[in-house]
Amino acid sequence: METPILEMRQITKEFPGVRALDNVTFSVKRGEIHCLVGENGAGKSTLMKVLSGVYPYGTYSGEILIDGQPQRFSGIADSERAGIGIIYQELALVPEMTVYENIFLGHEINRNGLIDWNETIHRADAMLRKVRLTVNPATKVRDLGVGKQQLVEIAKVLSRNVKILILDEPTAALNEDDSENLLNLLRELRDHGVTCILISHKLKEVLSIADTVTVLRDGKTVCTLDAHKGEVSEQALIRNMVGREITNIYPPRSHRPGADPMLALRNWTVYAPELGRYILRDVNIEVRRGEIVGLAGLMGAGRTELALSMFGNAPGYRISGELWLKGKQRWFRHPQEAIAAGMAYVSEDRKAKGLVLIQDVRQNITLANLRALARNGIIDRNAEIQVAEEYRRSLNIKTPTIEQQVVNLSGGNQQKVCLGKWLFVRPDVLILDEPTRGIDVGAKYEIYQLMNRLVEDGMSILMISSELPEVLGMSDRVYVVSGGRIKGELPIEVASQEKIMELAVDY
Amino acid sequence: MATQAMFLKNLQRTLGQNIRQYGMFIALFVIMIIFSITTNGIFISSRNLSNLINQTGYIAVLAVGMTLVIVIRHIDLSVGFLAGFLGAVAAIALRFWDLPTIVVVPMVLVMGGLAGLLTALPVAELKIPSFVASLAGWLIYRGALQLVTAGTGTIIIEDETFNAIGNGFIPDLPVTLIPGYHTLTLLLGAIAIGAFIFSEIRSRNKKLAYNFEVLPADMFALKLIFISTLIGLLAWIMAGYNGLSWTMVIVLVVVAIYHFITTQTVLGRHIYAVGGNPEAAELSGISVKRITYIVFASMGMLAALSGILFASRLRSATTTAGTLFELDAIAAAYIGGVSAAGGVGNVIGSIIGALVYVSLTSGMNLMGIDIAYQYIVRGLVLVAAVIFDVTTRRRGRAG
Ligand SMILES: Nc1ncnc2c1ncn2[C@@H]1O[C@H](COP(=O)(O)OP(=O)(O)OP(=O)(O)O)[C@@H](O)[C@H]1O
Ligand SMILES: [Mg+2]
């Protein structure tokens, strides 16, 4: 048998109070696409950080072999030299710089310290062709969509002669088209001899692209499955990931929504003077009691802006139209007022807008509703601890203690903390913006069940989602947004992926 | 034997985990010991320490306010000359308007609060960097200070009530416990120790009831003994001179209030959340603007207090009062562990930082070290403290 290009043997990595990796063995064959899957907090990202030298030799135990040679990385620079390129889930580009500057950032093509710009642009162009991105290399990264930024990131890594390309949830923030694009690119790279390791929670993706799949659970390797021997199926993956069968990802709901509208917008129009254009125009929507309404559309269609403008967070925008909440016309100048009136908004960007990363789980969960825990402005610490423990239990947040800083939690568990924070506000209308981004199948199922329970108790949910199966699986009714307008309203009985896409791309 | 090994292991672990918290205390301790040796014990004398603490007062209150300003990712450079200017206003009010201290002090404090709001205005409303907004204040208050003292030069304050704030001591009880020692100070020290032990035990028991991690019993006892000894020692030293000074009482009250607000209240939590992630705080229903106004107003008020303490200590208002106070306060806050990245830092740390800073000055003065070297040493200590802070923090995170 050929020596694997990469072998990780008996890797164990501990953090205070957590054993993130426990004797993990991981082996990757040359020129394959190897998917790494597992629940939130299973240790996938940690394993890749060990591999790429973020956690240097000596902070973990075990062995890393590349082409059969033992490696001891003391930093990312070492692993780069050994041919490892990693793309983290959070993009690491400088928005204010051009595409070519970003591609060669840190590895500038220079002679005696002077940058050769012509050569830089020339090579950047070649890299961009390689990733099939047709943009002018002089474009600022800020002006590109996430999908294209992701490709620039790949071009950047490829420019360093990588043998092993690692991608940590690259498609989590991409729409279907961009994701498909990216997967095709990976296939092409594989055919040119680049070995890829891909972490993803989107099982469809894994099924379509993986040559081999390794499943981690609780920091241990559960199994390695070979797609070419037919070992990889959705059921097999789920069973190994969560340790039980989930037959229907979208739990059935017997409950019927009520008729009285909880939230309604009339001719809601948002104008951005700085951009000189309308962000939203004549939006009319309605969410009834006990109803889950899906807001489908492409990225950039204006759905997040719609949520934020309702929620009182629209700095510098000019808004006209009416907002009706629970039968009263309202107008929120600040999220504080929206929250007090019974609204909650779970942001799509948990790191930038959802969490205070340096604070702990307890402080984050109670942040939006501290007053409920205080008398005369003084926080009842014990009540606070109880609340935090309660949400940790009910949402199954994986953390050693509620005193853990959320920056140390895995991505999916951070998302659960965000959810917990907004559930503790006990809203009547809950706006979820990409609620299951980066969440594993098991936890997704739990969140869907939770949503069902919430609407049964009379809450109304407006769910923004770019994942069409999720929109179709969970909504009672769907609005499709495109170019800042509502392009159509579809009762769930007639909605289909094709119909939604048709409306979504219609400007 | 086994228990002894256990004890050492616990000690090592506890120190290791809390090195950042205890680091400052240890540094202060070391500095004091060094100066005690180099000055043949003069440094540690009751008289010198009492003076030292009174000198720390006007920097300490500024450092407390500055801590919160830095926690919300801002800076306030205007506070030094604001303190100087408001000190002069106080002097004028006492001397020329014949107002009593009881009126002047609240009046000046309110003016300080208003000045803070004014600094916050462009910062909160227009997102002007606070560095610039407060630099403008620095210039304006410097000019204002020169204006109000232009005609008179140094304004001597003759009001003894006012002067007692910076120079006086609390009265003693008519009984004597130990000859030569201030009885009330000793009693207050004893009460403080009792209250401290009581509250620590209560909070530990509460945590135990919730099955939370607490210090092992031997470490807990060690902590109680250590801090009680410290309080006791402090009271003993103060009682050996004239007792507790009014400045010290004021600083203790300020620290107690701010410590309480930052650790126990909704307002405190909101301040730290705004510092940690302003966008997330805003979306969680916290008005970042409101917090900005509150923090700057508190800073202004503490600047006024600093000005009062300083003017009272000198028994006069001078044309250069407040020069460089802001930088001393910023240095104290950083020595005490606040982070410019926002959301991190506490008032106790900053007070210790201020003590370290003033101890250095006082100790080196006693040793007769040239002022030029003094600046260099202070600079080195500042850098060392921040490096220590950053590296221990990183270690804490990487595990
Ligand atoms: N710096 C850290 N300090 C403490 N604990 C950590 C740290 N980094 C990760 N962990 C813990 O290690 C475990 C594994 O985390 P990791 O990020 O590898 O999970 P993951 O499989 O990538 O999950 P997700 O799918 O949610 O991204 C989690 O329990 C997490 O809380
Ligand atoms: Mg991860």
Side-chain angles (χ1 to χ4, degrees), chain A residues 228-241:
Chain A
H228 302 293
K229 293 188 191 147
E231 294 170 351
V232 177
S233 70
E234 186 161 356
Q235 281 311 310
L237 290 180
I238 294 176
R239 189 169 358 98
N240 283 304
M241 280 171 69

Side-chain angles (χ1 to χ4, degrees), chain A residues 292-295 303-304 307 344-348 415 418-419 422-423 427 429-436 447-448 450-451 454 459-466 470 474:
Chain A
I292 298 179
V293 172
L295 215 49
R303 294 168 303 166
T304 296
Y345 167 70
V346 181
S347 167
E348 59 176 336
Q415 181 69 8
C418 273
L419 267 176
W422 288 109
L423 291 181
V429 176
L430 177 64
I431 306 174
L432 299 171
D433 199 346
E434 308 287 357
T436 61
I447 287 177
Y448 295 146
L450 178 74
M451 285 168 68
L454 292 173
M459 198 185 280
S460 307
I461 295 180
L462 182 63
M463 178 181 71
I464 300 172
S465 174
S466 302
E470 176 172 276
M474 289 306 296

Side-chain angles (χ1 to χ4, degrees), chain B residues 82 107-120 141 297 300-301:
Chain B
L82 178 60
M107 178 187 88
V108 170
L109 288 179
V110 169
M111 287 172 74
L114 292 176
L117 287 179
L118 220 55
T119 313
Y141 297 128
M301 192 175 279

Side-chain angles (χ1 to χ4, degrees), chain B residues 374-396:
Chain B
Q374 292 199 15
Y375 278 119
I376 293 173
V377 170
R378 269 148 68 179
L380 291 176
V381 168
L382 173 60
V383 167
V386 175
I387 289 175
F388 171 80
D389 190 55
V390 170
T391 48
T392 49
R393 187 174 305 161
R394 198 170 297 144
R395 185 141 38 108

Side-chain angles (χ1 to χ4, degrees), chain A residues 311 313 334-336 339 351-353 355-356 358-359 362 367-368 370 374 377-379 381-382 384-385 421-422, chain B residues 206 210 212 260 263-266 269-270 272-273 276-277 279-280 282-287 342-344 397-399:
Chain A
F311 200 59
N313 184 281
H334 191 276
Q336 202 176 350
I339 295 167
K351 287 209 164 132
K353 298 189 171 169
L355 297 166
V356 184
I358 56 169
Q359 293 192 344
R362 165 178 60 86
L367 184 62
L370 266 180
I378 300 164
I379 300 166
R381 187 62 69 94
N382 294 328
E384 189 189 14
I385 291 169
K421 166 168 111 177
W422 288 109
Chain B
K206 265 194 182 165
Y210 282 98
F212 275 5
F260 179 78
T263 57
Q264 308 290 325
T265 67
V266 174
R269 191 68 67 72
H270 283 181
Y272 280 80
N277 186 347
E279 273 187 272
E282 183 86 10
L283 281 178
S284 301
I286 300 166
S287 167
V344 176
R397 190 157 41 207

Side-chain angles (χ1 to χ4, degrees), chain A residues 402-426:
Chain A
I402 53 168
E403 313 283 319
Q404 176 78 300
Q405 289 187 352
V406 291
V407 71
N408 292 334
L409 261 50
S410 79
N413 284 299
Q414 290 178 345
Q415 181 69 8
K416 292 184 187 174
V417 173
C418 273
L419 267 176
K421 166 168 111 177
W422 288 109
L423 291 181
F424 178 51
V425 170
R426 305 211 177 84

Side-chain angles (χ1 to χ4, degrees), chain A residues 271-473:
Chain A
Y271 179 73
E274 275 179 28
L275 303 174
R277 67 180 175 85
Y278 286 93
I279 302 216
L280 294 162
R281 251 184 145 152
D282 291 325
V283 171
N284 289 289
I285 58 169
E286 202 173 87
V287 186
R288 305 188 187 115
R289 180 185 297 281
E291 189 181 35
I292 298 179
V293 172
L295 215 49
L298 301 179
M299 310 251 162
R303 294 168 303 166
T304 296
E305 286 80 358
L306 177 60
L308 286 174
S309 64
M310 284 193 270
F311 200 59
N313 184 281
Y317 291 169
R318 283 214 298 271
I319 301 176
S320 64
E322 296 169 10
L323 168 75
W324 292 78
L325 187 69
K326 293 185 270 182
K328 270 193 243 143
Q329 192 179 346
R330 304 298 298 258
W331 171 252
F332 303 125
R333 279 162 304 173
H334 191 276
Q336 202 176 350
E337 296 174 0
I339 295 167
M343 272 172 76
Y345 167 70
V346 181
S347 167
E348 59 176 336
D349 190 345
R350 56 177 169 255
K351 287 209 164 132
K353 298 189 171 169
L355 297 166
V356 184
L357 288 172
I358 56 169
Q359 293 192 344
D360 60 28
V361 173
R362 165 178 60 86
Q363 289 169 325
N364 272 283
I365 286 181
T366 57
L367 184 62
N369 198 14
L370 266 180
R371 282 181 215 290
L373 294 170
R375 196 181 305 155
N376 301 324
I378 300 164
I379 300 166
D380 179 346
R381 187 62 69 94
N382 294 328
E384 189 189 14
I385 291 169
Q386 273 168 344
V387 166
E389 286 289 359
E390 188 184 309
Y391 283 99
R392 164 159 95 145
R393 211 170 325 112
S394 66
L395 295 174
N396 206 356
I397 299 171
K398 210 174 150 198
T399 174
T401 73
I402 53 168
E403 313 283 319
Q404 176 78 300
Q405 289 187 352
V406 291
V407 71
N408 292 334
L409 261 50
S410 79
N413 284 299
Q414 290 178 345
Q415 181 69 8
K416 292 184 187 174
V417 173
C418 273
L419 267 176
K421 166 168 111 177
W422 288 109
L423 291 181
F424 178 51
V425 170
R426 305 211 177 84
D428 300 311
V429 176
L430 177 64
I431 306 174
L432 299 171
D433 199 346
E434 308 287 357
T436 61
R437 180 179 285 177
I439 290 221
D440 70 58
V441 262
K444 253 186 202 168
Y445 185 78
E446 285 166 22
I447 287 177
Y448 295 146
Q449 275 184 323
L450 178 74
M451 285 168 68
N452 283 346
R453 238 182 301 135
L454 292 173
V455 289
E456 268 159 38
D457 292 344
M459 198 185 280
S460 307
I461 295 180
L462 182 63
M463 178 181 71
I464 300 172
S465 174
S466 302
E467 281 190 54
L468 292 182
E470 176 172 276
V471 172
L472 293 171

